Amino acid sequence: MKKKIFIWKKTCLLTIIFCLFSCSVLANEKVPYQIAGDILLSDSSVYSIAALDLIFTNKSIQPIRDFTIVFYLFDEDGNPPVMKRNGFVLKIDRKIESEETANILINLDEYFSVIPDDDTEYQIDYLYVSGITYIDGTVYSDPFGLNFFY
């Protein structure tokens, strides 16, 4: 009798683990993009203080007209940088074809109130896409970035 209960508990546990894993995999499949970014802090022809070097992949079958990204910026100690704000919501007007990967450099100079020291490094936290507008007018919306983390 104890052996049957043990087998039953083990079967239930494995079923729960399988369901959680498969739900996670399916949720990641429905996110229509991949995104990564890094902060650049040296002078260039595009920016003089800082820029976001964004890599965006359109995983959907529809071309994208524009999309909105959300991210937070912190220094190496985890503190918000000396700037007007540390949370960003930026709309990117750029056509990206289906399955295309785009490298986009976004100037962040206007958001800095002080030029950071040369040894300061910034890190991006919680980078996600809150909305995508496709060429055909359909819209993907995830205002809190919840789909990206499931």
Side-chain angles (χ1 to χ4, degrees), residues 95-110:
K95 183 179 179 186
I96 302 174
E97 295 294 333
S98 175
E99 302 299 326
E100 178 186 355
T101 297
N103 292 355
I104 305 167
L105 194 61
I106 302 167
N107 186 336
L108 300 177
D109 289 350
E110 69 182 88

Side-chain angles (χ1 to χ4, degrees), residues 17-147:
I17 290 171
F18 176 76
C19 287
L20 289 175
F21 176 74
S22 61
C23 290
S24 173
V25 169
L26 291 174
N28 282 334
E29 289 297 317
K30 75 176 183 173
V31 176
Y33 65 90
Q34 264 184 319
I35 191 167
D38 197 19
I39 297 297
L40 306 176
L41 290 174
S42 59
D43 286 338
S44 90
S45 61
V46 178
Y47 62 94
S48 55
I49 299 174
L52 172 63
D53 184 16
L54 188 71
I55 301 170
F56 181 92
T57 301
N58 178 7
K59 293 177 20 181
S60 71
I61 60 172
Q62 290 288 328
I64 291 174
R65 180 182 353 175
D66 60 63
F67 60 99
T68 302
I69 62 169
V70 178
F71 66 95
Y72 294 87
L73 195 58
F74 296 93
D75 66 14
E76 63 269 6
D77 297 325
N79 300 315
V82 180
M83 55 194 325
K84 297 176 184 173
R85 63 182 181 208
N86 70 328
F88 292 84
V89 177
L90 303 174
K91 184 175 180 183
I92 314 296
D93 290 317
R94 173 139 177 206
K95 183 179 179 186
I96 302 174
E97 295 294 333
S98 175
E99 302 299 326
E100 178 186 355
T101 297
N103 292 355
I104 305 167
L105 194 61
I106 302 167
N107 186 336
L108 300 177
D109 289 350
E110 69 182 88
Y111 302 106
F112 280 77
S113 56
V114 175
I115 297 175
D117 297 333
D118 289 338
D119 61 340
T120 303
E121 291 185 22
Y122 291 101
Q123 302 166 2
I124 299 172
D125 186 31
Y126 202 46
L127 171 64
Y128 68 95
V129 175
S130 64
I132 298 173
T133 305
Y134 295 97
I135 295 293
D136 68 357
T138 58
V139 175
Y140 165 84
S141 180
D142 183 17
F144 303 111
L146 299 178
N147 287 337

